[in-house]
Amino acid sequence: MNLSTGEIYFPNKIRYSVHISMKIICIGHNYSEHNKELFGGYEGDPVFFMKPDTALLRNNAPLYYPKFTQDLQYEVELVLKICRLGRGISEKFAHRYYDQIGVGVDFTARDIQRECKEKGLPWELCKAFDYSAPISSQLIPVEQIRDVNDIHFSLTRNGEIVQQGRSRDMIFSFDRIVAYVSQFVSLKIGDLIFTGTPSGVGPVAVGDVLVASIEGQEMLKTEIK
Ligand code: MG
Protein backbone atom coordinates (compact mmCIF):
# COMPACT_ATOMS: atom_id res chain seq x y z
CA MET A 1 0.00 0.00 0.00
CA ASN A 2 1.20 3.45 -0.86
CA LEU A 3 0.46 5.36 2.34
CA SER A 4 0.71 8.78 0.77
CA THR A 5 -1.95 8.15 -1.87
CA GLY A 6 -4.01 5.49 -0.08
CA GLU A 7 -3.73 3.16 -3.05
CA ILE A 8 -3.21 -0.56 -2.82
CA TYR A 9 -1.14 -2.35 -5.47
CA PHE A 10 -2.03 -5.98 -5.93
CA PRO A 11 0.35 -8.41 -7.69
CA ASN A 12 -1.82 -8.43 -10.82
CA LYS A 13 -1.31 -4.66 -11.05
CA ILE A 14 -4.99 -3.84 -10.65
CA ARG A 15 -5.14 -0.65 -8.64
CA TYR A 16 -7.74 -0.07 -5.95
CA SER A 17 -8.35 3.18 -4.18
CA VAL A 18 -8.96 3.08 -0.46
CA HIS A 19 -11.76 5.32 0.66
CA ILE A 20 -11.56 6.37 4.26
CA SER A 21 -15.12 6.42 5.54
CA MET A 22 -16.95 7.08 8.74
CA LYS A 23 -20.17 5.81 10.22
CA ILE A 24 -23.12 7.38 11.95
CA ILE A 25 -24.52 5.62 15.00
CA CYS A 26 -27.94 6.68 16.21
CA ILE A 27 -29.38 6.04 19.64
CA GLY A 28 -33.10 5.41 20.00
CA HIS A 29 -35.38 5.60 23.04
CA ASN A 30 -33.16 7.98 25.01
CA TYR A 31 -35.69 10.50 26.34
CA SER A 32 -38.57 9.16 28.41
CA GLU A 33 -41.14 11.71 27.13
CA HIS A 34 -40.32 10.73 23.53
CA ASN A 35 -40.52 7.04 24.46
CA LYS A 36 -44.05 7.65 25.68
CA GLU A 37 -45.06 9.36 22.42
CA LEU A 38 -43.63 6.65 20.11
CA PHE A 39 -42.68 3.51 21.96
CA GLY A 40 -45.20 2.99 24.74
CA GLY A 41 -42.73 3.99 27.46
CA TYR A 42 -39.77 1.77 26.47
CA GLU A 43 -37.40 0.88 29.29
CA GLY A 44 -34.34 -1.26 28.69
CA ASP A 45 -30.84 -1.19 27.23
CA PRO A 46 -29.91 1.58 24.78
CA VAL A 47 -31.10 0.85 21.24
CA PHE A 48 -28.91 1.81 18.34
CA PHE A 49 -28.93 1.68 14.57
CA MET A 50 -26.63 3.08 11.90
CA LYS A 51 -26.74 5.40 8.93
CA PRO A 52 -24.09 5.24 6.19
CA ASP A 53 -21.84 8.21 5.40
CA THR A 54 -24.07 8.92 2.38
CA ALA A 55 -26.76 10.01 4.87
CA LEU A 56 -24.74 13.08 5.85
CA LEU A 57 -26.05 16.48 4.80
CA ARG A 58 -23.66 19.33 5.43
CA ASN A 59 -23.32 23.10 5.08
CA ASN A 60 -27.02 23.85 5.65
CA ALA A 61 -27.87 22.23 2.31
CA PRO A 62 -31.56 21.70 1.59
CA LEU A 63 -33.20 18.29 1.84
CA TYR A 64 -35.30 17.17 -1.10
CA TYR A 65 -38.43 15.40 0.16
CA PRO A 66 -37.85 11.72 -0.71
CA LYS A 67 -40.34 10.19 -3.14
CA PHE A 68 -40.75 6.96 -1.16
CA THR A 69 -42.39 8.46 1.93
CA GLN A 70 -45.50 10.49 2.69
CA ASP A 71 -44.52 11.11 6.30
CA LEU A 72 -41.02 12.54 6.61
CA GLN A 73 -40.37 13.58 10.23
CA TYR A 74 -37.67 15.50 12.08
CA GLU A 75 -35.88 14.33 15.25
CA VAL A 76 -33.40 16.87 16.60
CA GLU A 77 -30.45 15.32 18.44
CA LEU A 78 -27.15 16.24 20.05
CA VAL A 79 -24.27 14.65 18.12
CA LEU A 80 -20.93 13.44 19.49
CA LYS A 81 -17.83 13.36 17.33
CA ILE A 82 -15.47 10.49 18.10
CA CYS A 83 -11.79 11.47 18.43
CA ARG A 84 -10.09 8.17 19.32
CA LEU A 85 -10.14 4.62 18.13
CA GLY A 86 -11.73 2.39 20.72
CA ARG A 87 -13.63 -0.76 21.50
CA GLY A 88 -14.90 -2.17 24.77
CA ILE A 89 -14.49 1.30 26.30
CA SER A 90 -15.33 1.53 29.99
CA GLU A 91 -17.84 4.18 31.01
CA LYS A 92 -15.24 5.72 33.30
CA PHE A 93 -12.95 6.56 30.35
CA ALA A 94 -15.63 7.14 27.72
CA HIS A 95 -15.36 10.96 27.92
CA ARG A 96 -11.89 10.71 26.37
CA TYR A 97 -13.36 9.31 23.15
CA TYR A 98 -15.42 12.33 22.03
CA ASP A 99 -14.12 15.87 21.84
CA GLN A 100 -16.83 17.83 20.00
CA ILE A 101 -20.60 18.13 20.21
CA GLY A 102 -22.91 19.39 17.51
CA VAL A 103 -26.55 19.13 16.61
CA GLY A 104 -28.21 17.16 13.84
CA VAL A 105 -31.55 15.91 12.62
CA ASP A 106 -32.29 12.20 12.40
CA PHE A 107 -34.79 12.36 9.54
CA THR A 108 -37.18 9.43 9.58
CA ALA A 109 -39.72 8.14 7.08
CA ARG A 110 -42.29 7.52 9.81
CA ASP A 111 -44.79 5.68 7.60
CA ILE A 112 -42.11 3.19 6.56
CA GLN A 113 -40.87 2.90 10.14
CA ARG A 114 -44.37 1.96 11.27
CA GLU A 115 -44.43 -0.78 8.65
CA CYS A 116 -40.95 -2.00 9.63
CA LYS A 117 -41.96 -2.17 13.29
CA GLU A 118 -45.17 -4.07 12.51
CA LYS A 119 -43.34 -6.60 10.35
CA GLY A 120 -40.28 -6.82 12.61
CA LEU A 121 -38.03 -5.62 9.78
CA PRO A 122 -34.78 -3.63 10.12
CA TRP A 123 -34.91 0.17 9.97
CA GLU A 124 -32.55 1.04 7.09
CA LEU A 125 -35.36 1.95 4.69
CA CYS A 126 -36.84 4.49 7.08
CA LYS A 127 -33.61 5.82 8.64
CA ALA A 128 -30.54 5.31 6.46
CA PHE A 129 -31.56 6.98 3.21
CA ASP A 130 -29.44 9.62 1.47
CA TYR A 131 -29.21 12.97 3.27
CA SER A 132 -31.27 11.76 6.23
CA ALA A 133 -28.65 13.13 8.65
CA PRO A 134 -28.07 16.89 8.43
CA ILE A 135 -25.42 18.01 10.90
CA SER A 136 -24.27 21.44 12.03
CA SER A 137 -21.19 22.71 10.18
CA GLN A 138 -19.75 23.81 13.46
CA LEU A 139 -19.22 21.47 16.37
CA ILE A 140 -18.41 22.80 19.82
CA PRO A 141 -15.23 21.57 21.52
CA VAL A 142 -16.20 19.77 24.71
CA GLU A 143 -13.84 21.89 26.81
CA GLN A 144 -15.84 24.99 25.80
CA ILE A 145 -19.07 23.52 27.14
CA ARG A 146 -19.93 24.48 30.71
CA ASP A 147 -21.56 21.14 31.54
CA VAL A 148 -21.92 18.42 28.89
CA ASN A 149 -24.55 16.78 31.06
CA ASP A 150 -26.77 19.84 30.89
CA ILE A 151 -26.77 21.10 27.30
CA HIS A 152 -29.96 22.76 26.10
CA PHE A 153 -30.91 22.27 22.45
CA SER A 154 -33.97 23.01 20.38
CA LEU A 155 -35.53 22.85 16.95
CA THR A 156 -37.80 25.38 15.29
CA ARG A 157 -40.00 24.73 12.31
CA ASN A 158 -40.78 27.92 10.37
CA GLY A 159 -39.75 29.96 13.41
CA GLU A 160 -41.86 28.07 15.95
CA ILE A 161 -40.25 25.87 18.61
CA VAL A 162 -41.27 22.25 18.05
CA GLN A 163 -38.70 20.35 20.10
CA GLN A 164 -36.41 21.15 22.98
CA GLY A 165 -34.37 19.05 25.29
CA ARG A 166 -31.58 18.96 27.82
CA SER A 167 -28.83 16.39 27.86
CA ARG A 168 -29.52 15.83 31.56
CA ASP A 169 -32.88 14.30 30.57
CA MET A 170 -31.22 11.54 28.56
CA ILE A 171 -31.85 8.06 29.95
CA PHE A 172 -28.35 6.99 28.86
CA SER A 173 -25.57 9.57 29.29
CA PHE A 174 -23.00 10.28 26.56
CA ASP A 175 -20.48 8.15 28.46
CA ARG A 176 -22.89 5.25 28.87
CA ILE A 177 -23.74 5.40 25.15
CA VAL A 178 -20.06 5.32 24.10
CA ALA A 179 -19.35 2.44 26.49
CA TYR A 180 -22.40 0.47 25.39
CA VAL A 181 -21.99 0.90 21.63
CA SER A 182 -18.26 0.12 21.74
CA GLN A 183 -18.97 -3.31 23.21
CA PHE A 184 -20.40 -4.26 19.83
CA VAL A 185 -18.93 -1.85 17.27
CA SER A 186 -15.45 -0.31 17.28
CA LEU A 187 -15.51 3.47 17.26
CA LYS A 188 -13.18 5.26 14.88
CA ILE A 189 -11.97 8.83 14.61
CA GLY A 190 -14.58 10.89 12.79
CA ASP A 191 -17.55 8.66 13.61
CA LEU A 192 -20.67 10.50 14.73
CA ILE A 193 -23.14 9.43 17.39
CA PHE A 194 -26.65 10.90 17.29
CA THR A 195 -27.73 10.63 20.91
CA GLY A 196 -31.51 10.43 20.68
CA THR A 197 -34.38 12.86 20.38
CA PRO A 198 -36.62 14.49 22.98
CA SER A 199 -40.41 14.62 22.60
CA GLY A 200 -42.15 16.72 19.97
CA VAL A 201 -41.11 14.90 16.78
CA GLY A 202 -43.33 15.68 13.85
CA PRO A 203 -43.79 15.90 10.09
CA VAL A 204 -42.30 18.36 7.62
CA ALA A 205 -43.68 19.68 4.36
CA VAL A 206 -42.01 21.10 1.28
CA GLY A 207 -41.11 24.73 1.99
CA ASP A 208 -40.50 24.21 5.71
CA VAL A 209 -37.35 25.61 7.27
CA LEU A 210 -35.92 23.81 10.28
CA VAL A 211 -33.39 25.51 12.54
CA ALA A 212 -31.54 23.65 15.29
CA SER A 213 -29.80 25.50 18.11
CA ILE A 214 -27.57 24.73 21.07
CA GLU A 215 -27.96 27.04 24.08
CA GLY A 216 -29.99 29.39 21.89
CA GLN A 217 -27.25 29.68 19.28
CA GLU A 218 -28.32 28.78 15.73
CA MET A 219 -26.19 25.87 14.52
CA LEU A 220 -28.03 24.17 11.66
CA LYS A 221 -30.60 25.22 9.09
CA THR A 222 -32.32 22.86 6.67
CA GLU A 223 -34.92 23.79 4.12
CA ILE A 224 -37.22 21.08 2.81
CA LYS A 225 -37.49 21.29 -0.99
MG1 MG B 1 -33.56 9.53 16.43
Side-chain angles (χ1 to χ4, degrees), residues 26-28 49 75 77 106 108 127 196-197:
C26 302
I27 305 298
F49 57 90
E75 299 187 358
E77 314 202 354
D106 165 22
T108 305
K127 289 285 198 181
T197 196

Side-chain angles (χ1 to χ4, degrees), residues 26-29 34 49 51 74-77 105-108 110 113 123 127 194-197 201:
C26 302
I27 305 298
H29 306 153
H34 172 63
F49 57 90
K51 297 187 188 233
Y74 52 77
E75 299 187 358
V76 71
E77 314 202 354
V105 178
D106 165 22
F107 272 110
T108 305
R110 196 71 72 200
Q113 189 188 34
W123 284 10
K127 289 285 198 181
F194 279 58
T195 57
T197 196
V201 300

